[in-house]
Amino acid sequence: MNPIDNAGHASPAVSDGIVPEETIALTPPEIDRRRRQIAHNRRLLSSNGGRKRLHTLIVEDQAFTRSLLSQVLSQTCSVATCSNAKDGWRLYVDEVPDITFLDIDLPGVSGHALADKIKEVDPDSYVVMVTASQDVYDIQIAKFNRVDGFVIKPFNKQKIDACIERFCLTHKMHGKARPLS
Amino acid sequence: MNMPVDLTFLREITGGDTGVERELFDVFISSSAENLESLKTNCDPGKENAWRSQAHAFKGTSLNLGALILGHLCKEAQENYQAPMEKKRQMLAAIESEFGRVKEFLEKSTSTAG
């Protein structure tokens, strides 16, 4: 768990116009259940011959950035998207994406908190933070959460392709990132 | 005066597909209008963090589109989140005016692309 706070940011006061950050709270039995569910979904995928293309998840609240990132990724991967961390968590457990792209500044539960939860429950996950923040604090939190990549906005096609390539290299999955035939 | 949008990076992504570009521009215009509205409602004292968060989000989308001047103005707004209301209103006016230029540029781009 994050030592700074559960969500990765100092909690703002209610009076400043922001609802205090939430967390994805799981009890130890729930964590075990999610772990088993993720492992089951992975086995199911693998018993069906595995995926033909990489599957990615984007959690980003800004519609334009979500569409743009989806546009880049859909050239070589299948893509699921959502705009908040709670939906992101549900989609992660159900779909077990190969790569998860997370914005940091999400409404409610932050991207840091979601990354922390994903890594806690599924250490084999591959998580990339995508953010306009170059704040040392955000980079430190991302490192502490053991995320696998950090992309600074504005991103271009090369930056995203480099993430996919790095994933393929470390997971020996060359050929899985490819256009639809 | 500088061009409001540099579409170089976006075109690497769209491959020059005008249909995809039109969709992306529409999403940008509608989501930016929401960002702008939210900045307006968070101009008052006591809403500094909400102002900063909105300016940060608007900066990210503007820079990703290639609207560099708009992105710069949003960055300035983000950094000066504790400025007095009068200064915030000035920053807001500059952002709104630049957003108008960006919007016009995007609408022209799609109409000329046919």
Side-chain angles (χ1 to χ4, degrees):
Chain A
M1 191 56 107
N2 212 316
I4 295 170
D5 70 15
N6 288 337
H9 283 305
S11 296
V14 182
S15 61
D16 70 358
I18 296 182
V19 177
E21 285 179 2
E22 303 160 40
T23 57
I24 299 169
L26 294 178
T27 60
E30 281 172 330
I31 289 175
D32 277 347
R33 194 160 61 83
R34 296 299 186 207
R35 277 193 185 133
R36 283 198 301 274
Q37 198 177 342
I38 288 168
H40 170 78
N41 288 345
R42 277 223 174 90
R43 272 197 305 275
L44 208 63
L45 273 168
S46 141
S47 67
N48 288 332
R51 288 184 172 121
K52 292 195 170 53
R53 304 173 88 205
L54 290 182
H55 185 52
T56 57
L57 169 63
I58 302 169
V59 187
E60 163 68 65
D61 65 322
Q62 293 296 306
F64 174 72
T65 307
R66 199 167 58 238
S67 300
L68 195 64
L69 187 51
S70 177
Q71 184 63 35
V72 181
L73 290 170
S74 62
Q75 292 170 14
T76 49
C77 311
S78 58
V79 186
T81 67
C82 64
S83 60
N84 64 69
K86 286 195 170 172
D87 288 345
W89 171 240
R90 268 191 292 273
L91 274 172
Y92 186 86
V93 173
D94 288 345
E95 301 196 5
V96 199
D98 297 299
I99 311 176
T100 303
F101 291 89
L102 300 180
D103 181 25
I104 290 177
D105 285 295
L106 294 168
V109 179
S110 78
H112 282 313
L114 179 57
D116 178 40
K117 195 54 65 186
I118 289 173
K119 283 291 183 184
E120 183 186 0
V121 173
D122 183 16
D124 293 335
S125 59
Y126 196 89
V127 177
V128 177
M129 308 308 289
V130 184
T131 177
S133 169
Q134 297 190 42
D135 195 329
V136 176
Y137 176 81
D138 280 325
I139 296 169
Q140 291 295 350
I141 294 281
K143 278 185 182 166
F144 187 85
N145 286 340
R146 309 168 308 284
V147 306
D148 304 276
F150 202 90
V151 173
I152 304 284
K153 295 175 191 170
F155 58 80
N156 56 19
K157 192 173 178 317
Q158 282 75 22
K159 282 188 193 176
I160 303 303
D161 285 349
C163 283
I164 295 171
E165 204 168 311
R166 210 173 307 121
F167 170 84
C168 289
L169 266 174
T170 53
H171 290 72
K172 298 187 171 61
M173 287 180 98
H174 275 300
K176 290 278 184 183
R178 61 183 182 197
L180 275 176
S181 48
Chain B
M1 192 177 243
N2 288 334
M3 293 282 275
V5 187
D6 177 354
L7 290 174
T8 312
F9 287 137
L10 188 105
R11 292 219 155 116
E12 278 177 15
I13 292 170
T14 63
D17 184 325
T18 51
V20 172
E21 282 176 14
R22 192 169 295 140
E23 275 176 37
L24 286 171
F25 293 168
D26 285 347
V27 175
F28 178 82
I29 290 169
S30 61
S31 76
S32 298
E34 284 172 23
N35 287 140
L36 196 58
E37 250 344 277
S38 188
L39 274 178
K40 282 180 190 169
T41 56
N42 289 305
C43 210
D44 307 331
K47 295 182 175 176
E48 287 82 6
N49 280 332
W51 165 279
R52 181 174 53 177
S53 172
Q54 272 308 314
H56 171 82
F58 204 178
K59 176 187 76 176
T61 54
S62 301
L63 293 178
N64 260 329
L65 173 76
L68 305 181
I69 302 169
L70 184 57
H72 176 77
L73 291 170
C74 292
K75 181 173 184 272
E76 204 172 78
Q78 182 192 341
E79 287 169 354
N80 292 291
Y81 68 102
Q82 285 179 319
M85 205 156 89
E86 189 54 35
K87 168 81 177 154
K88 276 188 180 160
R89 288 215 171 109
Q90 284 169 13
M91 290 190 283
L92 196 51
I95 289 171
E96 193 163 19
S97 159
E98 185 58 24
F99 174 56
R101 281 204 330 130
V102 169
K103 196 174 158 188
E104 193 183 341
F105 177 91
L106 296 179
E107 283 165 354
K108 269 189 193 156
S109 297
T110 49
S111 66
T112 51

